[in-house]
Amino acid sequence: MAIRNIRVIGDEILTKKCKPVKEMTPRIRQLIDDMFDTMYEQNGAGLAAPQVGVLKRIVVMDVDDGNQYLLINPEIIEEEGSQTGSEGCLSVPGKHGIVTRPAKVKVKALDRDMKEFVLEGEELLARCICHEVAHLQGQLYVDLVEGELMDNDEEEGEEEQA
Ligand code: ZN
C-alpha cells in the first residue's frame, strides 16, 4: 500500500493533457493500486492520474454504490439530460461549487486486462465520470462553477470530492 501526494490547483501538471495507456505493465498496475489507496485515504469519490502527478489516462472511482471503478483511456460516448449540484475536488482542498453536468453518461474504457467495456452512470457516478475525464484533459471543475467557489463548512461534514 502506498499513498501518493495529491497535486493541488496551481500545479502545472493539472492543466496538461494525459497520454493514453498503450500496454499494461507492473508499473501501471502499481500506479492503479496506489491511486485506489490514495483515494480511500483522502475519502475521495474519484481520482485521476494527473492528481498524483502522472500524465496518463487512468481514473479510479468509488461512489459508495458497492463497486470499485477503474477506467483506462476513458472516452465519454453518450450524454443525456442534466443535473446541477455541489462538486468538490481533492486537488482544490476545502472548497466546493455548483456545477451542471449530464444526468447520465456512457463511457467506453479499458479494464485492468486492457479489455474494452462500456459503463453507464447516473447521478453521482455520472458527475464523477465527467469530473475525472475532465482531469485527463487538463481541466478542473473550478472553471465550470456557477457563481462563487465556496468554502467547505466543517460542521456539515465532508463534501463529495473527486
Ligand atoms: Zn478532481
Side-chain angles (χ1 to χ4, degrees), residues 46-48 51 88-92 131-132 135 139-141 161-162:
L47 190 71
Q51 293 182 277
C89 180
L90 294 172
S91 295
V92 188
H131 179 111
E132 302 310 334
H135 270 299
Q139 294 159 358
L140 294 178
Y141 85 99
Q161 297 183 112

